[in-house]
């Protein structure tokens, strides 16, 4: 029964308004139970950091996500480890063997020059849908706003489906200060020139998620969402939590 007037949400095979969860070892049985109820609220599933490489029954987990219409991919740290050890051809074969169709190209741990990342993307996009990440996991590394803009724009022009803004699973680096506060000036500058529907903002906590919902609207793309927070996030998107209760009508409409 639908009787409330709520913000309009994208649905089905969404291209924006995405919820991307982070899986850091959810047991298969628990995952199956959660997806049975909440899979329609999830679009992407990152097998976080490099955990895919040591996850028991990883193929079964990948197949389960795909069975529920969710796009799984491996965390960028695994890509970086393979890059560091000159194992990118083996990484491609590994992803094909798993049945993974999406790949994350990042430089959160090691410094891979933008030109080199663009070259890697040109090869990977022939076989995979590519997501790239901008920002460092080092909370002491300061990245100028113009550099953020330049990287995001060039990565999108290179053929990335989306660009992720680094925030870690703790919300303490990249687009966040060490204490977890959002770098709001940076976000405002990015939104002036870049299509926010092509950015996935890492927002690991409800507090971070509410910031982006209030700034951009209910159909903002959010990443690093914990599986147990998926329903709460959708509640926030729909204006059914105190902090998002009075979302402006303008933000309730689809673009």
């Amino acid at each position: 029964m639908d009787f409330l007037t709520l913000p309009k949400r994208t649905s089905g095979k969404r291209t924006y308004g995405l919820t991307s969860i982070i899986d850091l070892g959810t047991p298969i049985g628990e995952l199956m139970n959660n997806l049975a109820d909440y899979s329609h609220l999830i679009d992407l599933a990152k097998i976080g950091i490099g955990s895919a490489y040591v996850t028991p029954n990883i193929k079964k987990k990948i197949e389960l996500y795909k069975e529920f219409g969710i796009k799984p991919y491996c965390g960028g740290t695994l890509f970086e480890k393979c890059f560091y050890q000159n194992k990118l051809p083996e990484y491609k074969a590994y992803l094909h063997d798993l049945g993974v169709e999406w790949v994350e190209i990042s430089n959160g741990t090691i410094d891979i020059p933008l030109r080199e990342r663009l070259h890697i993307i040109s090869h990977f996009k022939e076989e995979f849908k590519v997501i790239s990440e901008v920002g460092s996991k080092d909370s002491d590394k300061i990245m100028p706003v113009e550099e953020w803009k330049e990287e995001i724009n060039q990565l999108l022009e290179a053929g990335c489906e989306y660009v992720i803004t680094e925030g870690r699973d703790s919300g303490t680096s990249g687009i966040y200060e060490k204490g977890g506060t959002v770098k709001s000036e940076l976000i405002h500058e990015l939104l002036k020139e870049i299509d926010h529907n092509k950015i996935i903002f890492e927002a690991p906590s409800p507090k971070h998620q509410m910031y982006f919902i209030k700034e951009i609207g209910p159909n903002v793309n959010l990443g690093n969402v914990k599986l147990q927070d998926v329903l709460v996030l959708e509640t926030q998107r729909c204006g059914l939590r105190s902090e998002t209760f009075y979302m402006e009508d303008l933000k309730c409409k689809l673009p």
Side-chain angles (χ1 to χ4, degrees):
M1 183 187 305
D2 296 321
F3 58 90
L4 291 176
T5 300
L6 301 177
K8 301 295 183 183
R9 279 286 283 131
T10 51
S11 60
K13 294 184 177 180
R14 282 181 280 254
T15 57
Y16 65 98
L18 307 178
T19 292
S20 177
I21 64 168
I22 183 167
D23 184 329
L24 290 170
T26 307
I28 288 287
E30 180 182 336
L31 181 62
M32 187 176 298
N33 288 336
N34 276 275
L35 295 185
D37 285 342
Y38 304 132
S39 61
H40 65 293
L41 305 178
I42 305 169
D43 305 283
L44 297 163
K46 176 190 288 192
I47 314 299
I49 51 178
S51 65
Y53 198 74
V54 293
T55 296
N57 301 315
I58 183 61
K59 270 193 176 182
K60 186 176 180 181
K61 177 171 280 192
I62 295 297
E63 290 168 1
L64 183 61
Y65 277 122
K66 293 172 70 174
E67 179 184 332
F68 279 94
I70 298 167
K71 304 173 183 69
Y73 68 100
C74 299
T77 304
L78 185 55
F79 157 77
E80 292 180 49
K81 191 74 168 183
C82 294
F83 172 86
Y84 181 71
Q85 296 188 358
N86 295 313
K87 299 289 185 180
L88 290 186
E90 290 86 348
Y91 187 47
K92 276 187 178 182
Y94 171 77
L95 295 178
H96 282 306
D97 183 60
L98 289 181
V100 171
E101 299 167 359
W102 290 66
V103 64
E104 180 181 330
I105 307 297
S106 68
N107 69 328
T109 301
I110 58 176
D111 187 13
I112 306 174
L114 177 59
R115 180 176 294 183
E116 189 156 9
R117 277 179 280 146
L118 294 173
H119 178 71
I120 293 169
I121 289 166
S122 70
H123 287 285
F124 269 84
K125 73 177 185 179
E126 296 175 358
E127 302 171 47
F128 303 92
K129 299 285 188 181
V130 179
I131 299 176
S132 196
E133 187 173 58
V134 173
S136 173
K137 297 184 188 300
D138 183 353
S139 58
D140 291 320
K141 184 174 181 179
I142 305 300
M143 187 171 169
V145 173
E146 289 306 316
E147 191 174 335
W148 279 90
K149 291 179 183 178
E150 180 184 3
E151 287 209 10
I152 293 173
N153 281 320
Q154 289 198 44
L155 290 167
L156 290 174
E157 290 171 5
C160 291
E161 303 293 325
Y162 300 95
V163 172
I164 300 170
T165 55
E166 176 68 70
R168 303 208 71 175
D169 59 305
S170 56
T172 55
S173 66
I175 56 173
Y176 301 102
E177 304 288 358
K178 285 183 182 181
T181 305
V182 179
K183 295 178 180 176
S184 56
E185 289 187 12
L186 167 62
I187 301 303
H188 292 159
E189 287 299 315
L190 294 181
L191 294 177
K192 286 180 183 178
E193 300 180 17
I194 301 169
D195 180 4
H196 61 79
N197 290 329
K198 301 299 289 184
I199 301 176
I200 298 175
F201 300 93
E202 290 195 336
S205 76
K207 179 180 178 180
H208 297 139
Q209 295 154 16
M210 284 185 287
Y211 169 85
F212 286 105
I213 291 170
K214 288 192 285 186
E215 284 294 319
I216 299 173
N219 291 302
V220 60
N221 301 321
L222 296 174
N224 272 10
V225 177
K226 298 177 179 63
L227 183 58
Q228 64 267 28
D229 290 341
V230 165
L231 185 62
V232 172
L233 171 56
E234 192 64 24
T235 301
Q236 293 170 176
R237 290 185 187 273
C238 292
L240 294 169
R241 180 168 178 157
S242 177
E243 290 83 352
T244 59
F245 195 92
Y246 296 106
M247 279 194 294
E248 298 169 354
D249 289 343
L250 181 61
K251 291 184 178 181
C252 297
K253 297 175 183 177
L254 299 179

